[in-house]
């Protein structure tokens, strides 16, 4: 049950944070989903996009959020009732959701941090990402190589957490 609530919490925070930059994150401004110049992401969901497909950042985020919402709402994967067993691939599903949600954080930091600062909401983004990073690290939900776009920030968070 914890994973369900945490996944929904991260999903909701990230959806809200991304919503603040939608006027800046357009297909013209962000024609490809990236997290800086070295990291480009392709969308594949096995249904509409059967092969990795290059999408603009807003189309990628929309596809990701719709895909994740469908999974989070599926009670065969995320049961709402106590005693109902989790799907046998539950952990892998959570890992995939978290890996993909990370990509939105990477995009926000790499491509829209100036706008986020101008809006005065960088503390919200930083707090949300710190919580996300510590959670995925604690439960080994995202491979370290996937986190490379935010390595400097991750090191700072880990160092600060270790000093507590």
């Amino acid at each position: 049950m914890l994973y369900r609530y945490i996944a929904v919490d991260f999903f909701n925070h990230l959806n809200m944070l991304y919503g603040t930059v939608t006027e800046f994150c357009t297909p013209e401004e962000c024609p490809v989903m990236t997290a800086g110049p070295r990291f480009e992401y392709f969308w594949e969901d096995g249904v509409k996009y059967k092969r990795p497909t290059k999408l603009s950042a807003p189309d990628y985020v929309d596809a990701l959020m719709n895909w994740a919402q469908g999974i989070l709402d599926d009670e065969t994967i995320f049961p709402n009732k106590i005693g109902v067993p989790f799907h046998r691939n539950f952990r892998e599903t959570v890992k995939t959701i978290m890996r993909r949600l990370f990509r939105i954080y990477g995009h926000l930091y790499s491509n829209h941090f100036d706008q986020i600062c101008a809006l005065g909401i960088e503390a919200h983004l930083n707090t949300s990402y710190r919580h996300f990073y510590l959670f995925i690290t604690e439960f080994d939900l995202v491979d370290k190589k996937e986190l490379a776009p935010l390595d400097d920030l991750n090191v700072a968070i880990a160092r600060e957490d270790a000093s507590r």
Side-chain angles (χ1 to χ4, degrees):
M1 293 294 275
L2 173 67
Y3 281 142
R4 182 190 197 304
Y5 294 113
I6 296 295
V8 169
D9 189 45
F10 289 128
F11 174 86
N12 288 335
H13 280 169
L14 201 46
N15 204 18
M16 185 255 330
L17 286 165
Y18 179 76
T20 65
V21 299
T22 54
E23 69 182 277
F24 311 111
C25 189
T26 64
E28 296 75 33
E29 291 296 318
C30 300
V32 179
M33 178 61 174
T34 62
R38 295 181 16 236
F39 303 94
E40 186 173 314
Y41 303 112
F42 296 82
W43 183 252
E44 179 180 10
D45 59 16
V47 181
K48 183 176 179 183
Y49 298 96
K50 296 188 188 301
R51 296 177 186 249
T53 304
K54 186 182 285 194
L55 298 176
S56 69
D59 289 341
Y60 184 101
V61 171
D62 186 57
L64 191 161
M65 294 311 240
N66 285 322
W67 169 83
Q69 185 71 61
I71 290 172
L72 294 171
D73 290 343
D74 185 342
E75 290 193 29
T76 65
I77 299 172
F78 282 90
N80 279 325
K81 296 184 175 122
I82 294 174
V84 175
F86 288 96
H87 190 271
R88 63 183 169 81
N89 294 328
F90 179 77
R91 183 169 169 76
E92 288 307 311
T93 300
V94 170
K95 288 176 79 168
T96 300
I97 291 170
M98 298 310 238
R99 184 182 76 243
R100 289 178 170 183
L101 290 179
F102 168 80
R103 294 171 180 180
I104 299 174
Y105 281 112
H107 183 75
L108 289 172
Y109 275 106
S110 300
N111 299 71
H112 299 292
F113 195 68
D114 289 343
Q115 289 123 350
I116 286 169
C117 290
L119 292 168
I121 59 169
E122 68 273 14
H124 296 288
L125 175 62
N126 290 337
T127 300
S128 177
Y129 181 69
R130 183 178 190 283
H131 184 194
F132 178 86
Y133 175 74
L134 292 173
F135 183 79
I136 62 172
T137 303
E138 176 71 23
F139 294 101
D140 193 30
L141 295 174
V142 179
D143 291 336
K144 187 167 176 45
K145 67 181 167 82
E146 294 282 345
L147 302 174
L150 298 181
D151 269 348
D152 292 342
L153 180 57
N154 297 338
V155 167
I157 292 169
R159 190 175 298 131
E160 180 185 329
D161 191 57
S163 70
R164 289 183 176 202

